[in-house]
Amino acid sequence: MEKNKLYLELGLKDFEYDRIKELLNREPNEVETYMFSAQWSEHCGYKHSKELLKKLPKNIENENAGYVLIDDYAVVFKVESHNHPSAVEPYQGAATGIGGIVRDVLAMGARPIALLDSLRFGDIKDPKAKNIFEGVVSGISGYGNSIGVPTVAGETYFDDNYQTNPLVNVMCVGLVEKDKIASSKAPAAEKLYVYIGSKTGRDGIHGASFASKELSGKDERPSVQVGDPFSEKNLIEATLEILDIPGVLACQDMGAAGILSSSSEMSFKGGFGCELHLDKVPLREEGMSAWEILLSESQERMLFLVEPGVEEKLAEIAKKYFLDYAVIGKTIEGKNMKIYMNGKLMSDMPINALVDAPSFYRKTSTPSYIQELKKEIPKSDIPLKNALFKILKDPNIANKSWIFEQYDYKVGTNTVIIPGKADASILWIKETNKGIGVTIDGNGLYTYINPFEGSRNVVYEAARNLVATGVKPLGVTDNMNFGNPENDMVMWQFEQSIEGITQACKELSVPVTGGNVSFYNESGEKAILPTPVIGMVGEADLNHIMDMQFKMASDKVYLIGK
Amino acid sequence: MKIYRFEALITLKNGILDPQGAATQKVLKRLNYKIDNVRFGKLITFDLEAENEEDAKKIAEEITYNSLINPVLENYELKLLETRELEK
Amino acid sequence: MKIYRFEALITLKNGILDPQGAATQKVLKRLNYKIDNVRFGKLITFDLEAENEEDAKKIAEEITYNSLINPVLENYELKLLETRELEK
Amino acid sequence: MINAGIIVFPGSNCDRDAEFALRKAGFNTEYVWHDFKEIGKYDLIFIPGGFSYGDYLRAGALAKFSPVMNEIEKYVSKKQGFVLGICNGFQILTESGILPGALTKNTSLKFICKDVDVKVINKTCSFTKFVSKEVLRIPIAHAEGNYYISESEYIKLKQEHRIAFEYVENPNGSVGNIAGVYNENFAVLGMMPHPERNSVRTLGNGDGLEILLSIRRSIEDGKK
Ligand SMILES: Nc1ncnc2c1ncn2[C@@H]1O[C@H](COP(=O)(O)OP(=O)(O)O)[C@@H](O)[C@H]1O
C-alpha cells in the first residue's frame, strides 16, 4: 500500500498527518504511521474531549485510576466502558471489560475488592437485545466470579435507543494502604521494562487498522478479544507480590494500544525516553509484525519498571503463577522512543509527539431538538391503578435478582450490604469499623431532555443513594457515553453534561478522581441517548448504616422533602 | 419421514485465544507429557426428523450456524452419523 | 521422534442429565425445528511427540482417561488425526 | 493451638475468607501453596472455594494434579486429621476420588449466589456434633454444584449416614438435595455452601461459624 494512503485507511486526517510530519521533521514510516493512528485515536488521545475534561474538579492527574482516602487506606476506583466489543460479542466483550478495569485499579497497587456494572440494552422483548443482555450478564459473571472480585451493585435499563448499541460500563474498586500506592511514572533512565502476563496475539488490534491490512477471507475476525480469568487472577496475585519487592519502580497495565501506550506513557510521565525490543515479547501467534506487537490489545498483561538485577525475582513470581515473563526494553536518557526488532531499528522519534494528540475542541450551540421538546407536554390518560401495575411490570422497575444472583457478590466476605437490600452497597474494611459505600447511576432520558440538569442530577442521585445507606460521599468517577463527537449536537450534549457534572461535584464538594469517555455510540443514523454514568464511593461508620427493608409491623413511615 | 443423526464438531478459529486449552496444556506439561497445541472445542449431537437427506442437511446447517456456534469465534464441521426410520 | 495429532471426543454417559443439551433443545423446538436428543460433549485436540504410533496412542489414552475426562460422568473416543515429522 | 492449613491453588479465591473465618473460630491458620508437601502438622486441611486453574476442563479437574493433592490423599488414608472442602474444594475432592460422586452444571445453567437453608443430616460426627441448630442459613455461590451420584451409590451413602447436609429447597438439581457428603470414616467433608462466608454477625447470622467451631471443639476433645 502507498504510504500516504495508509494513514487515511487508519483513520488519521490530512491535517493530522501534516502535523505528524511537522513534529518529526520527516515522513513517518509504516510502523510509525500505525503508532500514531493508535495513539492519536479517540480512545487513547481523547481528541474531542480533553479540552472539556479539564473543567472537572479533579484531585489526581495522570494515573491509572484515582483514589480517595479513608483513614490509612486509599480507595482506588475507576469506571470504563466496553460498549462496542459487547455489541459484537456480548460474553467476551463484557468479560474483557471487567478484566481491563480490574487491571487499571491493580496498577495502582490496590487489591481489587468490588465491581459494579451499569448496563443499557434495547427492548428486552427483542431477541437480539435479549441475547446481548444475557450474554453480557453471563460474561460479567463468568469473569468477575472467577477472579474472586465480588460484583456488588449496578443498574440495568432497557430502552429502544440502545437497541444495537448497548452500554456496558464497569467499575472496579480497590483497597491499598496509602503509603503503598504504586505509580506509573518512570523515575530514572536505564531501568528495565519487564513484561508479565499472557502472551501477545493479534487480538484487539483496532478495527480501523484491520480494515486496511488483514481481512482476506470471511473466517478472519481476529480482533475479538477473549478473556482468560485464570490468568487475570494469577496476574492480580503476581502484581501484588511484585509491587512489594524493593527495586520495583513503576507499573502500568497494557490496555488500549497495549505495549506501545504503556511503555511510552510511563517513560513520558517521568520525562525519559525508552527503548523496546519487540523480538523479546512473548508471542502467541507466528509471523506477527512490529506494528501488530506494539498495538495488540491481548488481555491480562502488565508492564513493570524495575532496577536492573531485580528482574529475576519477577521471573520467579511469573513462573509461580503460570505467567509469561520477558525483559522487553529500558528507559533511556533523552526524549525519544526507539523501537527495535531483531536488532533492526524500526523507529526513533520523540515520545511527546506520540502522546500529544491534537485537540479537536470546537464551540457549539443549542440544537433545535431542545426547543421542540419544550413544546411537548407529556400526557397520559391511563387510570392511576393501571398505571401503577404497568410501572411495576416494567423490566426497568422489576426486581433485578435474575442479574445479581449470577454475580458472586459475597466473595471476599466484605459485602455488608448486598445487592437488592439498599440503593448502594457497603464493603467492610476488615479489622476496622469502617465501610466503603459504592453506587453507580446514569439517566439517559433526563440527560437527553436537558444535558446540564440531567447530568447534574445523576451526580445527585448517586449521592442520595450513598447517603440513604449512611455513607458520606467522597469521590466520583464518570463514564461519558455519547454519540459521534463530530456531530455538533453530540458535542453540545457532551459539553453541557461535563458542566452539569462539574457543577454538582462542586456543590457537593466531591472531587472527580478519574473517568472514561466513550464516543461513537451509534449505529446507522441513530445515536444513543447521551448517557453519562456516575460511579461514587464514600465512607461509612458500620455502626451507623441502614438498608431499606421495613423492619417491624406498626413502624411508622414518613415522607420527607419537597 | 426419517430420523437423521448429526454431529457438529465446533472448534475455535485460528488466532482466537483458548484459555482452557492453554491452562490444560501447562498442567500436562508439568506432568512431563510432551504435549502441544491443546485446543478445546464442542461436540454436539442431535437428531432431526426430515423428508430426505438433502432437507435434513440443510436444516442441520441452519441450526448449527444460527444457534449452536458463535460465528465470531468458532468454525464448525457437520457430519451425518446415521439415518433411521421414524418409529411410529 | 514424530508428532501425532489426536482428537478426543468426550460425551456424557447415558443416563447422565445434560442440562445444556436440554435447554438448547427446548429453544430449538420453540423455533419449530423437529429436533431431538440434543447432547453436548467436548472435542479436545492435541499434539503428542512420541517415538512411534504405538507409544503415542498409549500416552494419548493415558492423558485422556486420567486427565481429560471424569469417568463418573463421561465416555470418550480417541482418534489419531495425523502424523508428521518433528521439525528441528 | 489447633492448626489449620488452607490450601491455595492458582485460582483459589476464598482462601483469605477462609483464613478470616478460621481465625474467628479460634484456629491457628497458615496458607499452604499447592506445590507444598509438608502438611502433616495440620489438624485441619481446608480446601477453599474459587476457580482453581480457572475451573477449566471441569471444575476442580486440573487441581487434582497439584503436588499437594498426593499429600492430602496420604493424609486421609493415614487418618492424620480432618479435611474440609468448600465449593471448589468439594469439587476437587470429588475429582480426585477422595469423595464419591461428581459436581456438574446447575440445572439453571447459571451461577447462583444466594443464601440457602441446609438441613444438618448427621449430627454425630466431628464436623456437626456441636452445631446447635437443625437448619443453617449458609450462602451458596457456584455454577457447578449439581451433585451427581448413581442410584446404588446414593443408597449406600444414605445407609452409611454419609450425607452431611441437604438443601431445604434444591437450588441446583443435586441428587437427593445433597449439599455435602462425608468420606467413609467421616474425616473428610465436602460441601457446596460456604460456612466461612457467614462466620460473623457483620456478614449474616453467623450460622457458618457453628460448623467451624464444631470442628475445633472435636479436635480439642480428641487431643485431651
Ligand atoms: N447490572 C446489575 N449488576 C448488579 N446489581 C444490579 C444490577 N442491576 C441492578 N442491580 C441491583 O439491584 C438492586 C435494585 O436496582 P434498581 O432496580 O436499579 O434499584 P434502584 O432504582 O432503587 O436503585 C440494587 O441493589 C442494584 O445494585
Side-chain angles (χ1 to χ4, degrees), chain A residues 117-119 151-157 396-398 400 403-404 407 418-423 425 441 461 465 548:
Chain A
D117 58 339
S118 166
L119 310 177
T151 303
V152 299
E155 52 153 15
T156 317
Y157 282 97
N396 288 326
I397 300 295
K400 303 293 192 304
I403 301 168
F404 62 71
Y407 300 156
I418 60 175
K421 290 269 192 263
D423 291 327
S425 290
D441 296 283
E461 184 186 346
N465 283 344
M548 65 187 179

Side-chain angles (χ1 to χ4, degrees), chain A residues 408-421:
Chain A
D408 189 347
Y409 51 78
K410 286 200 164 180
V411 64
T413 55
N414 297 319
T415 321
V416 177
I417 291 192
I418 60 175
K421 290 269 192 263

Side-chain angles (χ1 to χ4, degrees), chain D residues 28-186:
Chain D
N28 184 30
T29 59
E30 273 176 33
Y31 293 114
V32 180
W33 185 241
H34 72 122
D35 274 343
F36 196 68
K37 293 192 172 164
E38 305 294 320
I39 60 169
K41 69 169 176 180
Y42 299 110
D43 303 296
L44 171 70
I45 297 290
F46 190 108
I47 311 182
F51 290 69
S52 54
Y53 295 91
D55 273 3
Y56 296 153
L57 189 57
R58 288 178 313 278
L62 294 174
K64 76 169 178 231
F65 299 110
S66 280
V68 78
M69 288 311 294
N70 276 332
E71 304 306 307
I72 291 178
E73 271 170 48
K74 281 187 225 154
Y75 181 95
V76 170
S77 66
K78 288 195 210 148
K79 301 190 185 126
Q80 282 178 291
F82 295 103
V83 177
L84 175 57
I86 304 293
C87 198
N88 195 228
F90 187 15
Q91 292 161 339
I92 294 168
L93 289 169
T94 57
E95 278 286 340
S96 57
I98 295 174
L99 288 175
L103 289 146
T104 64
K105 277 201 175 71
N106 298 345
T107 39
S108 68
L109 296 174
K110 293 192 174 65
F111 191 96
I112 305 171
C113 177
K114 65 176 181 192
D115 289 359
V116 299
D117 289 329
V118 294
K119 272 187 282 190
V120 187
I121 302 302
N122 177 344
K123 283 188 79 169
T124 59
C125 56
S126 309
F127 291 91
T128 45
K129 209 162 28 186
F130 298 103
V131 170
S132 64
K133 300 181 181 174
E134 305 300 317
V135 173
L136 301 173
R137 190 144 185 88
I138 306 187
I140 54 166
H142 57 246
E144 291 172 57
N146 180 349
Y147 187 71
Y148 170 78
I149 192 158
S150 68
E151 175 102 37
S152 57
E153 277 186 284
Y154 173 66
I155 293 167
K156 186 163 164 256
L157 274 188
K158 254 197 128 119
Q159 281 166 349
E160 294 174 0
H161 304 287
R162 286 167 57 195
I163 295 169
F165 302 103
E166 284 173 12
Y167 300 108
V168 173
E169 265 178 74
N170 195 333
N172 52 24
S174 291
V175 167
N177 303 321
I178 290 178
V181 296
Y182 294 112
N183 74 337
E184 299 79 6
N185 64 12
F186 299 92

Side-chain angles (χ1 to χ4, degrees), chain A residues 163-423:
Chain A
Q163 182 67 21
T164 47
N165 196 123
L167 299 186
V168 176
N169 289 186
V170 290
M171 169 171 161
C172 181
V173 181
L175 194 63
V176 57
E177 287 162 46
K178 70 180 180 207
D179 46 12
K180 285 186 155 186
I181 295 172
S183 167
S184 59
K185 195 168 121 182
E190 298 301 320
K191 309 300 177 197
L192 303 180
Y193 275 119
V194 180
Y195 168 124
I196 303 268
S198 298
K199 289 184 164 60
T200 296
R202 287 193 173 91
D203 17 34
I205 298 179
H206 273 138
S209 328
F210 251 97
S212 64
K213 269 294 249 197
E214 289 294 305
L215 288 188
S216 58
K218 73 170 172 130
D219 277 349
E220 250 178 313
R221 267 187 257 199
S223 70
V224 177
Q225 304 166 51
V226 170
D228 177 2
F230 176 54
S231 293
E232 180 93 346
K233 170 66 174 155
N234 283 325
L235 193 58
I236 292 173
E237 301 305 330
T239 299
L240 294 174
E241 279 183 33
I242 287 170
L243 291 173
D244 268 341
I245 301 172
V248 174
L249 306 168
C251 99
Q252 180 156 338
D253 63 297
M254 296 190 215
I259 294 179
L260 170 63
S261 75
S262 53
S263 60
S264 61
E265 283 167 21
M266 287 171 80
S267 309
F268 179 72
K269 285 179 199 170
F272 296 95
C274 73
E275 185 181 295
L276 292 184
H277 297 269
L278 299 181
D279 42 294
K280 298 281 192 283
V281 173
L283 298 181
R284 201 177 75 228
E285 295 178 61
E286 278 163 29
M288 285 181 70
S289 58
W291 70 267
E292 289 177 315
I293 299 171
L294 278 168
L295 267 52
S296 163
E297 292 181 8
S298 284
Q299 300 288 302
E300 291 98 20
R301 302 177 301 165
M302 297 286 276
L303 191 62
F304 295 87
L305 189 71
V306 307
E307 291 285 356
V310 169
E311 68 275 15
E312 282 307 315
K313 292 196 179 126
L314 275 67
E316 271 168 42
I317 292 175
K319 185 156 178 251
K320 171 177 173 189
Y321 287 107
F322 293 88
L323 298 169
D324 275 87
Y325 153 94
V327 177
I328 62 166
K330 61 179 185 181
T331 51
I332 54 175
E333 292 295 349
K335 305 277 181 215
N336 275 24
M337 179 167 202
K338 299 182 182 180
I339 311 265
Y340 294 88
M341 183 130 156
N342 300 319
K344 184 174 163 231
L345 183 66
M346 311 287 290
S347 164
D348 183 352
M349 60 179 172
I351 296 184
N352 68 325
L354 263 181
V355 177
D356 203 11
S359 173
F360 282 8
Y361 174 67
R362 64 188 187 286
K363 268 244 107 16
T364 53
S365 55
T366 315
S368 53
Y369 86 86
I370 294 287
Q371 302 311 326
E372 298 298 315
L373 276 177
K374 281 188 179 149
K375 287 183 214 146
E376 259 179 65
I377 297 171
K379 270 206 304 256
S380 165
D381 40 22
I382 307 175
L384 208 54
K385 190 173 153 200
N386 299 10
L388 176 66
F389 284 122
K390 206 169 167 207
I391 288 175
L392 291 177
K393 244 179 29 195
D394 191 287
N396 288 326
I397 300 295
N399 181 306
K400 303 293 192 304
S401 59
W402 188 90
I403 301 168
F404 62 71
E405 283 184 358
Q406 291 185 54
Y407 300 156
D408 189 347
Y409 51 78
K410 286 200 164 180
V411 64
T413 55
N414 297 319
T415 321
V416 177
I417 291 192
I418 60 175
K421 290 269 192 263
D423 291 327

